[in-house]
Amino acid sequence: MSRPLPAKSLGIALIGTGFMGKCHAMAWRNLATVFGGAHPRLEILCDLPAEQAERYAAQFGFARASSDWQASCADPAVDVVSITAPNGLHRPMAEAALRAGKHVWLEKPMALTLADAQAMADLAGAHPGQVTMLGYNYLRSPAFQMARKLVSEGVIGTPRAFRGVYDEDYSADPLLPWSWRMTSEAGGLGALGDLGCHLVSQMVALMGPVEELTAMTQIAIPERSSPDGPKPVENEDSAMALIRFASGAQGSFATSRVARGRKCRLQWEIHGSEGTLVFDQESMNELWLHRVGEAGFTRHLTGPDQPDFAAFCPAPGHNFGFNEQKVIEARDLSAAIAGGANPGPDFAAGLEIEKVIHAMARSNGRPIRIGDMA
């Protein structure tokens, strides 16, 4: 879909050079190629140690390298700060960027704690001229955008039930060493903060807000080795929840980082009064639809008839990919900076996602109303 982009080039500071840092760098470099407009100015690549920042600044095409994130956030040549640092740095970095007058593109999870997320949303609300966006890139795939359109247009009737899972196996090996991701102080939530929040972002986009849930979590591997000896795992390896939406529909939710054989099983289905929709990220170029009167499901392949696909490729059936989702996300952020609507999730919407996953972490089998989360 066409969205006006800024007339002038945006100055970018990117903090972090890991998996998501590289995704952000590619998104900024490809934004104008795919969607037009002025090419962003890649001003500062920030990371530690300084040698790493220098190396990746050259590789990613940034003009300068820095090991000082505070200075990077405050730099007068910077308009947007992309934050892909570890979870424990999300709040201080995002708040520093907002206070310096910058727009913020922050990877999920939003923060370590619900109190942190609330403070960040409050600060963003006090800076209405600055755009915030959280990195829920799976919302941008053409298949998901089409699914959302089909639901909103009533193609499957009234949504009655949602079933969703997001499973991976990156922590399934008990010999995997302990890391900061397994601590509350640096990692925050476990599978819920890393994986489950993505599923929640899609779930609420399709079904509307969650009203109440009951959940249980599990630490499957309670201790892991480290150079300093065995250390405890402090956050959940998996979680399951039963959900009631504000609409009255029901849902089930499960997420795990220890699901053997699963690589990116972000899978959901919606049962409606007139049909069913099914999607699985491991087959992200397929959307399955059943409607009343049909014997089974019809497979719809991604193609130029779905939102944003044609900007990358004019031919149907040519697969869309993970990194392309980030380019669309960068486009949406840039268009919002130019004065267009912000499809988000911004920090206010991100806070609502955080309420859901933190309610799951707190539940321990007890019903929790989302409106009571604080």
Side-chain angles (χ1 to χ4, degrees):
M1 64 188 69
S2 176
R3 292 197 179 109
L5 295 173
K8 71 162 193 165
S9 180
L10 294 170
I12 310 301
L14 171 59
I15 305 175
T17 58
F19 170 33
M20 295 313 300
K22 189 173 186 178
C23 288
H24 278 233
M26 287 191 288
W28 286 121
R29 289 186 64 85
N30 290 322
L31 173 60
T33 301
V34 176
F35 292 110
H39 284 271
R41 291 176 287 104
L42 306 184
E43 291 286 347
I44 304 173
L45 191 285
C46 180
D47 207 347
L48 287 171
E51 294 78 11
Q52 181 164 307
E54 291 281 356
R55 182 170 72 254
Y56 282 104
Q59 180 178 331
F60 293 172
F62 280 77
R64 292 173 282 156
S66 174
S67 57
D68 185 338
W69 64 261
Q70 290 97 336
S72 299
C73 288
D75 193 285
V78 169
D79 301 299
V80 183
V81 180
S82 277
I83 302 170
T84 68
N87 302 349
L89 292 169
H90 285 190
R91 178 181 176 181
M93 289 181 173
E95 290 186 342
L98 286 169
R99 290 193 176 104
K102 315 302 184 184
H103 308 287
V104 179
W105 186 10
L106 173 66
E107 275 307 307
K108 42 58 61 187
M110 187 171 169
L112 293 178
T113 68
L114 189 55
D116 285 344
Q118 181 69 65
M120 294 162 68
D122 290 345
L123 183 62
H127 292 75
Q130 293 160 238
V131 176
T132 60
M133 183 170 288
L134 291 159
Y136 286 104
N137 49 277
Y138 296 117
L139 297 172
R140 266 66 188 192
S141 78
F144 180 80
Q145 292 190 65
M146 180 57 68
R148 193 173 182 179
K149 184 171 184 286
L150 293 174
V151 172
S152 67
E153 292 176 349
V155 171
I156 62 169
T158 302
R160 292 173 172 168
F162 176 93
R163 295 179 183 172
V165 298
Y166 191 174
D167 293 336
E168 295 194 13
D169 67 355
Y170 61 84
S171 293
D173 185 352
L175 300 180
L176 183 76
W178 177 92
S179 78
W180 62 266
R181 290 185 179 276
M182 299 167 184
T183 70
S184 300
E185 183 178 2
L189 298 180
L192 285 166
D194 194 25
L195 306 176
C197 60
H198 273 301
L199 179 56
V200 171
S201 76
Q202 294 202 333
M203 180 175 73
V204 298
L206 293 165
M207 300 293 293
V210 174
E211 184 171 285
E212 186 177 42
L213 61 83
T214 303
M216 296 185 71
T217 63
Q218 179 189 55
I219 299 177
I221 303 170
E223 191 175 79
R224 292 188 181 267
S225 64
S226 80
D228 301 320
K231 290 189 176 182
V233 174
E234 298 173 354
N235 51 29
E236 76 287 343
D237 288 318
S238 62
M240 294 184 177
L242 297 177
I243 292 164
R244 186 173 75 247
F245 296 95
S247 67
Q250 64 180 6
S252 66
F253 170 104
T255 188
S256 175
R257 63 187 182 188
V258 293
R260 290 283 192 179
R262 296 298 185 184
K263 304 306 176 186
C264 188
R265 189 198 179 199
L266 175 54
Q267 189 275 338
W268 51 259
E269 57 184 64
I270 303 174
H271 302 163
S273 59
E274 303 296 325
T276 296
L277 272 173
V278 179
F279 174 79
D280 189 333
Q281 179 67 23
E282 288 185 353
S283 301
M284 68 174 290
N285 287 281
E286 300 177 357
L287 183 66
W288 293 82
L289 171 64
H290 167 79
R291 288 180 284 192
V292 170
E294 298 175 345
F297 286 82
T298 300
R299 182 181 70 153
H300 295 266
L301 290 176
T302 53
D305 59 323
Q306 294 176 338
D308 289 321
F309 186 99
F312 294 89
C313 179
H318 290 62
N319 287 352
F320 200 80
F322 178 89
N323 288 301
E324 282 81 356
Q325 297 172 125
K326 300 305 287 188
V327 181
I328 298 172
E329 202 167 75
R331 185 278 313 274
D332 288 347
L333 173 64
S334 300
I337 292 170
N342 184 357
D346 61 8
F347 282 9
L351 175 62
E352 298 307 309
I353 295 172
E354 294 289 324
K355 288 179 180 179
V356 174
I357 60 174
H358 282 275
M360 291 179 184
R362 293 182 192 178
S363 171
N364 195 27
R366 297 178 296 107
I368 293 184
R369 292 180 61 84
I370 301 303
D372 295 334
M373 290 295 292

